[in-house]
Amino acid sequence: MASSSYLFTSESVSEGHPDKICDRISDAILDAYLKEDPYSRVAVETLATTNKVVLAGEVRGPENIDKARMEEIARNCIKKIGYEQEGFHWENCDIDVYVHEQSAEIAQGVDASGDKDEGAGDQGIMFGYATDETEELMPPAILYAHKILRTMASARHAGETPQLAPDAKSQVTLRYEDGKPVGTSSIVVSTQHIEGVSQNEVREIVRPFVENALPKGWMCPEDEFYVNPTGAFVIGGPDGDAGLTGRKIIVDTYGGAAPHGGGAFSGKDPTKVDRSAAYAARYLAKNVVAAGLAKKCVIQLSYAIGVSKPLSTFVDLFGTGKVDEEKLANVLNKVRNLSPRGIRETLQLNKPIYERTAAYGHFGRNPTNDGGFSWERADLADAILAELS
């Protein structure tokens, strides 16, 4: 039997982390295509290193989004994040674009035609998760790790912390007793800063952001509060470490508290089930927990390239459920069309809503009026309960 008292850790990275710069650029290019044509096909990857950005991938969409436009989008992303450093500057970094037309063979498998419905853009497995440990129905460790960095970034953009630079990471270790989180045992924050700021000064700048991100009384012991534990962190961003799209998938989802499927999200249009089916699985899992049917829920969906229906739907309620898991899986397939087209239309995913997802998690966010984070709605609970009854 698993222990009910344990430590659990999740990490997050800031919008200025090299990998997250790449995620943002890829998603900003996706948004540009979807804004012009909601049915564009996009799969764009980004690499960033010292004063260099490389874009690669395949697209099918408006021709006015050419290499020059993609370069402009990339520079604008870097500028908005705040990089004006010698080793990485939005204005003078080199940007190479190697983006080409989508493979005709992939298009043939995905496109709807005649009696054939739109197929999945690839094979794969996708997971969604929800837990009642927080109001957002998210695992708390990743939620707090995101909040620390998100509020630090907001303060930096507002000019309140001029000593800090864009690159940062956080890590939160929670202490569980009787299966419930009761406090933190350690906190780690590493943040880039300007020359001449001491480690202790950075520590005191960071402290209130950590304390305000946690529930009252949850701050870790002082000797377990680690800020820039290696000392100075002046050289950061892509000048300090190369970045790639899709290299922070656990940060993007549940911080290791639940399984992750085989693919990343950023830079992919919603025909790619790596992204859209993971959003759908989260939507279903969140509504199962919101309906009071379980304290925790994980859902797995699987697909084959060119095939519209999911090959399998698996539900695990971790022994906390009030309903048979196999029956619930059947109900979920009844209340929502889980084909790529069905997911796309239900969650209205053919909109330019993706750049905002690139940092601080794709889940646990608030739905917006323009359709952003639509998979975070809890509007399916009544339909699930009605079908079960």
Side-chain angles (χ1 to χ4, degrees):
M1 180 181 293
S3 172
S4 62
S5 297
Y6 54 90
L7 302 179
F8 186 82
T9 304
S10 293
E11 71 158 347
S12 181
V13 297
S14 73
E15 64 195 54
H17 185 279
D19 297 328
K20 282 294 154 197
I21 297 169
C22 295
D23 284 344
R24 182 167 185 165
I25 292 170
S26 294
D27 274 336
I29 291 171
L30 169 62
D31 280 353
Y33 271 98
L34 294 178
K35 186 175 182 180
E36 297 281 340
D37 177 2
Y39 300 99
S40 296
R41 299 291 168 79
V42 179
V44 172
E45 312 292 342
T46 305
L47 161 71
T49 186
T50 302
N51 260 340
K52 185 80 169 181
V53 173
V54 179
L55 306 177
E58 53 280 341
V59 297
R60 190 176 75 197
E63 293 183 0
N64 65 318
I65 305 177
D66 55 12
K67 290 185 178 182
R69 178 83 179 277
M70 291 186 203
E71 178 180 335
E72 178 186 9
I73 291 169
R75 291 194 190 281
N76 190 45
C77 287
I78 298 166
K79 182 179 182 180
K80 286 192 289 186
I81 292 169
Y83 274 106
E84 296 184 348
Q85 301 171 5
E86 183 178 351
F88 196 68
H89 197 297
W90 67 270
E91 198 168 26
N92 58 29
C93 67
D94 293 327
I95 299 178
D96 294 335
V97 181
Y98 303 98
V99 177
H100 58 82
E101 286 291 312
Q102 183 189 54
S103 160
E105 291 179 346
I106 292 177
Q108 177 179 292
V110 175
D111 290 348
S113 61
D115 294 331
K116 176 184 175 295
D117 196 3
E118 179 182 300
D122 201 353
Q123 71 176 48
I125 57 172
M126 298 83 208
F127 289 92
Y129 179 70
T131 172
D132 68 358
E133 291 176 353
T134 62
E135 182 180 343
E136 295 84 354
L137 303 186
M138 282 287 290
I142 188 68
L143 201 67
Y144 303 143
H146 285 324
K147 189 174 181 181
I148 291 167
L149 296 183
R150 190 172 64 248
T151 54
M152 284 175 57
S154 295
R156 177 175 59 83
H157 285 301
E160 298 168 6
T161 54
Q163 309 93 327
L164 303 186
D167 195 0
K169 301 179 77 172
S170 65
Q171 186 169 285
V172 174
T173 300
L174 291 185
R175 187 175 73 256
Y176 279 74
E177 295 179 2
D178 297 324
K180 296 181 180 180
V182 296
T184 61
S185 67
S186 64
I187 302 285
V188 184
V189 179
S190 296
T191 180
Q192 188 184 15
H193 57 85
I194 63 173
E195 192 79 55
V197 182
S198 71
Q199 183 182 20
N200 190 59
E201 286 174 315
V202 175
R203 180 188 185 91
E204 294 313 309
I205 293 169
V206 167
R207 184 187 299 275
F209 295 103
V210 175
E211 292 176 340
N212 291 334
L214 301 173
K216 188 175 182 180
W218 277 37
M219 185 62 179
C220 65
E222 188 64 20
D223 61 354
E224 294 290 337
F225 180 38
Y226 303 97
V227 176
N228 286 6
T230 61
F233 184 5
V234 175
I235 300 172
D239 190 29
D241 190 14
L244 289 169
T245 298
R247 203 159 59 172
K248 285 291 177 286
I249 58 176
I250 302 303
V251 170
D252 287 341
T253 55
Y254 309 103
H260 191 290
F265 301 158
S266 290
K268 298 177 181 178
D269 74 75
T271 66
K272 279 73 172 176
V273 285
D274 282 343
R275 180 170 222 159
S276 57
Y279 290 171
R282 161 63 178 174
Y283 176 56
L284 296 176
K286 181 172 184 177
N287 278 272
V288 167
V289 175
L293 295 171
K295 291 182 174 296
K296 293 197 297 183
C297 175
V298 70
I299 291 174
Q300 183 204 60
L301 302 174
S302 70
Y303 293 83
I305 187 168
V307 179
S308 62
K309 67 177 182 179
L311 305 185
S312 65
T313 303
F314 169 78
V315 177
D316 185 359
L317 303 179
F318 301 92
T320 69
K322 299 178 180 178
V323 63
D324 178 76
E325 290 160 335
E326 184 176 355
K327 180 179 180 181
L328 180 58
N330 291 330
V331 164
L332 295 177
N333 276 283
K334 287 183 179 180
V335 297
R336 280 296 176 263
N337 179 352
L338 296 178
S339 70
R341 178 184 56 79
I343 293 170
R344 179 170 50 77
E345 292 177 353
T346 296
L347 298 180
Q348 298 181 304
L349 298 181
N350 287 97
K351 295 181 176 182
I353 56 174
Y354 296 103
E355 183 181 350
R356 71 193 73 170
T357 69
Y360 315 119
H362 293 243
F363 307 126
R365 311 280 287 272
N366 292 325
T368 57
N369 291 334
D370 65 353
F373 302 103
S374 59
W375 49 92
E376 290 297 310
R377 302 191 310 250
D379 59 358
L380 191 60
D382 289 344
I384 294 172
L385 290 171
E387 187 67 33
L388 284 169
S389 65

